[in-house]
Amino acid sequence: MTEAVETLKEWAEKSSRIVFFGGAGVSTESGIPDFRSTGGLYHQEWKYPPEVILSHSFYKSNPEEFFRFYRAKLLAPDAKPNAAHRKLAQWEEEGRLTAIVTQNIDGLHQAAGSRHVCELHGSVHRNYCEKCGKFYDLEFLLHGSGVPRCSCGGIVKPDVVLYEEGLDQDVVNDAVNSISKADLLIIGGTSLNVWPAAGLINYYLGDRLALINKSAVAKDVSAGLVITDPIGEVMARL
């Protein structure tokens, strides 16, 4: 075990209000591709760039292409929680972790057993008719084709935050409240490139901040610990 991981283990053992702030890198070890790394979605060839396809305006103007991309690249029904998800769920069960703030939409934290998860960008497991509000689960999207339609005829939209859409304020408030009260903040699997989500870490008031990410982050984070090993391997040692 490296010295930095050993220090993080000591921090975690002394903490009672751990908050974990995570991004796509948390789920790559579960087989879900991230967006910005080599081989990520932003480096793949599509007729339109992913950030265009995943925008509100594109969803409205070209829903067929949106849902073709969405089903092909954003849904991973066979993915399972990895060691990072499981460790966080364990800490919550032990009463040492108070919240997970995630930019991911895959629901793997809940699948691992975590309960207090602030999903900044929504979840693929929730889908609602834009006309009548009826709820549909992930299976409905998976087993359909083309533009999904409700029994009332309305389009069924995934409950995920697209580009040009704002974050849910209740979720943001929950995340800010949790981060501001944390005695240990662990940032994992994110390059902190996505705003306004990345700005939430500025609400942390404590002095124990750890960063676990394989690549450099977007800005200078004054982390007491910086670990570049795979996050699943690191969390499994804690």
Side-chain angles (χ1 to χ4, degrees):
M1 186 180 298
T2 65
E3 183 178 344
V5 175
E6 182 63 40
T7 299
L8 180 55
K9 181 178 173 65
E10 293 173 3
W11 283 4
E13 290 173 347
K14 295 176 181 177
S15 300
S16 59
R17 298 187 307 279
I18 302 171
V19 171
F20 180 85
F21 182 97
V26 177
S27 294
T28 54
E29 291 171 58
S30 294
I32 297 178
D34 63 5
F35 277 68
R36 289 177 171 81
S37 69
T38 302
L41 294 183
Y42 283 1
H43 294 270
Q44 297 179 14
E45 291 298 324
W46 282 75
K47 185 177 180 181
Y48 304 93
E51 61 267 35
V52 172
I53 300 175
L54 296 175
S55 67
H56 179 81
S57 56
F58 189 92
Y59 164 77
K60 285 295 187 181
S61 64
N62 197 339
E64 294 84 1
E65 184 69 6
F66 170 87
F67 279 105
R68 188 174 76 86
F69 180 88
Y70 182 81
R71 286 190 178 96
K73 292 299 180 183
L74 269 67
L75 302 184
D78 297 326
K80 304 297 181 185
N82 60 51
H85 299 106
R86 292 192 295 270
K87 176 60 69 173
L88 294 170
Q90 175 192 326
W91 282 351
E92 184 181 28
E93 184 66 28
E94 294 171 351
R96 296 194 289 132
L97 182 139
T98 57
I100 294 169
V101 181
T102 182
Q103 300 172 80
N104 297 339
I105 59 175
D106 51 48
L108 290 180
H109 285 296
Q110 290 91 333
S114 293
R115 296 178 296 276
H116 188 190
V117 183
C118 304
E119 296 177 308
L120 296 175
H121 297 151
S123 172
V124 298
H125 294 276
R126 299 188 299 268
N127 306 275
Y128 297 95
C129 172
E130 291 191 301
K131 186 176 180 180
C132 73
K134 183 178 179 180
F135 170 83
Y136 289 89
D137 61 13
L138 176 60
E139 294 299 313
F140 178 78
L141 266 290
L142 282 172
H143 297 139
S145 61
V147 179
R149 294 279 179 177
C150 176
S151 55
C152 78
I155 296 178
V156 177
K157 182 182 183 294
D159 186 20
V160 298
V161 179
L162 304 177
Y163 290 101
E164 304 166 351
E165 294 180 343
L167 303 184
D168 182 291
Q169 197 56 50
D170 288 338
V171 177
V172 171
N173 291 342
D174 189 9
V176 168
N177 182 59
S178 298
I179 291 172
S180 66
K181 295 178 179 178
D183 58 4
L184 168 59
L185 177 62
I186 301 174
I187 302 170
T190 174
S191 56
L192 297 177
N193 271 311
V194 179
W195 290 81
L200 296 182
I201 65 171
N202 295 325
Y203 289 94
Y204 178 58
L205 304 175
D207 57 4
R208 291 197 292 242
L209 175 60
L211 175 65
I212 309 171
N213 199 56
K214 291 165 69 175
S215 58
V217 299
K219 66 172 189 173
D220 180 25
V221 178
S222 55
L225 288 175
V226 177
I227 302 171
T228 57
D229 297 325
I231 188 168
E233 295 179 13
V234 173
M235 297 297 289
R237 300 179 212 158
L238 301 180

